[in-house]
Amino acid sequence: MRFDNKTPTDFQLNRKNVMNYKKPGVIIVVIAALACVIAAVCFVTNPITSVSDENASSENASLSDTEFSDIIFRTKENAFAFGNQQITAEEEKVIREEIIKSNDAGYPEEYDVSCCNFVNLKKVVSEKDGIQTATFYGWSYYAQYNYGEGGLEEVGGSHVPEALTFQVDKDGYHLEEYWTPGDGDEYYTDIQKKFPGDIVQDAMDGEKFVLEQVQDCYAQAISQGDVDTEPIIERLLEEICSETPEQSSNPQDYIDAHDWEYRELSFYGSYTVSYCVSRFEAGMETGLEGQVMARIMEELLGTKGKLNVNAGQASNGQEWYDSLKDAAPEFLKDFVS
């Protein structure tokens, strides 16, 4: 599904422009669309099963030419494994190049940087008349950003299940087909016909992968633009902790009232965790911001249920962090020297 700054997707409806804190002027009701996805999955019948699998065993590599693996956030328990099958560094590189090439020319808006991520659900290799082909089925996420004083501003992009087929020879991978489902009524039937039966449900459930894909693209854009994320994250926290209409003392009420800003914190992934860790390490984070930081860290690190006290049960954020550091320091090894 294609989106831009006037037609937000489902997850974009939980975002705000960090530059001016204004919600999009036009909001599309996407709950019905999600319901359609669920319904379509439930009624999938007689999926095709005539393709064969190749079990890839190579390690994951970053989606860019540089080593983004050091900056792209991965949770401990819910590590983003690029779908059900791993692909090689060369395969990731050519897939990324084709996604960027296919999308860059299709958006009239000006932008500073474009990024993409591909969740590989399945790789199918075949050979006919001595010609080998490899098809990669998965979720493609493409985003365009502008850089501003307030941080990243997303101006366009798409999130679509796609299939990329390459001819493979001694010289590498050569694109043969870039498949995308049709619009409207054709969308679900096209996916059902094109994708192997064992991954049709995943191909209709983009919400399963989108958070990690957004985090990946944010990391790429931040790295390429050398963005200072500290003031952005600080501003988001301040906005979340501003007064609520009910003058509540419950941290969750503040989060619920500022869902856009809270989701934006999750999109900044490891940068948000690093910021929170630095403040907790300095100590005395016993106020409202400390409680919000504890909750977003718990969500991003996947620690809920693994400590004696969850972030929502601790008397303050500092208590939760100190408990995490004492009981499960392995969650902080990438953030505390």
Side-chain angles (χ1 to χ4, degrees):
M1 295 180 182
R2 175 170 169 159
F3 58 86
D4 54 33
N5 61 344
K6 295 182 180 179
T7 57
T9 63
D10 39 7
F11 68 88
Q12 280 185 305
L13 293 176
N14 290 316
R15 295 195 55 216
K16 245 187 184 179
N17 184 324
V18 295
M19 297 178 66
N20 56 25
Y21 294 108
K22 292 181 181 178
K23 292 184 176 70
V26 179
I27 296 181
I28 295 179
V29 179
V30 297
I31 297 176
L34 288 176
C36 290
V37 173
I38 296 171
V41 171
C42 292
F43 286 99
V44 170
T45 57
N46 299 325
I48 59 173
T49 57
S50 60
V51 292
S52 60
D53 238 345
E54 176 187 5
N55 294 323
S57 59
S58 58
E59 294 183 353
N60 282 331
S62 63
L63 286 175
S64 68
D65 297 340
T66 55
E67 289 297 326
F68 278 114
S69 57
D70 292 336
I71 61 173
I72 296 174
F73 184 72
R74 303 283 186 263
T75 62
K76 300 293 182 179
E77 292 298 318
N78 301 304
F80 185 43
F82 293 94
N84 298 332
Q85 289 197 336
Q86 296 177 338
I87 53 180
T88 68
E90 182 183 6
E91 289 167 346
E92 284 188 75
K93 182 175 182 294
V94 296
I95 290 171
R96 178 179 180 273
E97 288 173 349
E98 293 301 335
I99 293 173
I100 292 289
K101 185 189 304 182
S102 174
N103 285 276
D104 271 359
Y107 292 81
E109 297 221 29
E110 295 182 359
Y111 59 92
D112 294 327
V113 64
S114 60
C115 306
C116 71
N117 177 287
F118 185 76
V119 175
N120 184 55
L121 298 176
K122 190 165 190 173
K123 173 185 173 181
V124 175
V125 176
S126 61
E127 185 170 339
K128 183 178 181 180
D129 298 329
I131 299 175
Q132 187 182 72
T133 61
T135 300
F136 301 89
Y137 300 88
W139 273 95
S140 168
Y141 181 84
Y142 169 85
Q144 296 173 339
Y145 303 99
N146 282 334
Y147 296 116
E149 293 181 1
L152 295 179
E153 177 192 9
E154 189 173 308
V155 296
S158 63
H159 188 222
V160 188
E162 297 181 323
L164 284 74
T165 300
F166 297 87
Q167 285 191 11
V168 186
D169 58 29
K170 60 181 180 62
D171 295 321
Y173 291 76
H174 315 282
L175 184 68
E176 183 177 277
E177 181 188 40
Y178 193 116
W179 181 92
T180 299
D183 295 329
D185 294 339
E186 298 177 355
Y187 183 81
Y188 300 114
T189 55
D190 283 357
I191 294 171
Q192 187 177 347
K193 292 176 181 178
K194 181 69 173 180
F195 275 62
D198 57 333
I199 60 169
V200 165
Q201 290 192 14
D202 281 344
M204 293 185 178
D205 187 13
E207 291 298 295
K208 185 175 181 179
F209 311 104
V210 70
L211 176 58
E212 289 85 354
Q213 292 187 281
V214 174
Q215 288 175 339
D216 188 354
C217 285
Y218 264 53
Q220 292 179 44
I222 290 166
S223 178
Q224 294 181 46
D226 195 23
V227 176
D228 182 5
T229 60
E230 183 173 331
I232 301 170
I233 294 168
E234 183 175 323
R235 183 183 301 183
L236 291 171
L237 278 170
E238 290 176 353
E239 182 71 9
I240 292 169
C241 295
S242 62
E243 293 183 357
T244 63
E246 300 82 8
Q247 297 295 305
S248 172
S249 60
N250 184 349
Q252 191 60 48
D253 289 341
Y254 286 81
I255 292 172
D256 292 342
H258 301 91
D259 186 56
W260 294 68
E261 292 85 359
Y262 189 77
R263 289 298 301 273
E264 192 80 21
L265 285 178
S266 72
F267 295 160
Y268 279 94
S270 60
Y271 297 97
T272 294
V273 175
S274 294
Y275 174 88
C276 295
V277 167
S278 67
R279 286 186 52 172
F280 281 128
E281 284 292 306
M284 301 301 291
E285 291 293 342
T286 58
L288 179 59
E289 286 196 7
Q291 291 177 310
V292 174
M293 289 192 296
R295 294 182 187 219
I296 191 66
M297 278 189 64
E298 180 178 73
E299 180 180 317
L300 290 172
L301 292 174
T303 63
K304 190 170 185 178
K306 298 179 175 61
L307 303 176
N308 292 332
V309 180
N310 291 331
Q313 300 169 330
S315 60
N316 58 66
Q318 192 68 51
E319 177 189 61
W320 174 85
Y321 178 81
D322 293 342
S323 175
L324 171 66
K325 191 173 181 180
D326 291 340
E330 64 273 13
F331 285 98
L332 300 173
K333 66 181 181 65
D334 294 330
F335 305 99
V336 178
S337 57

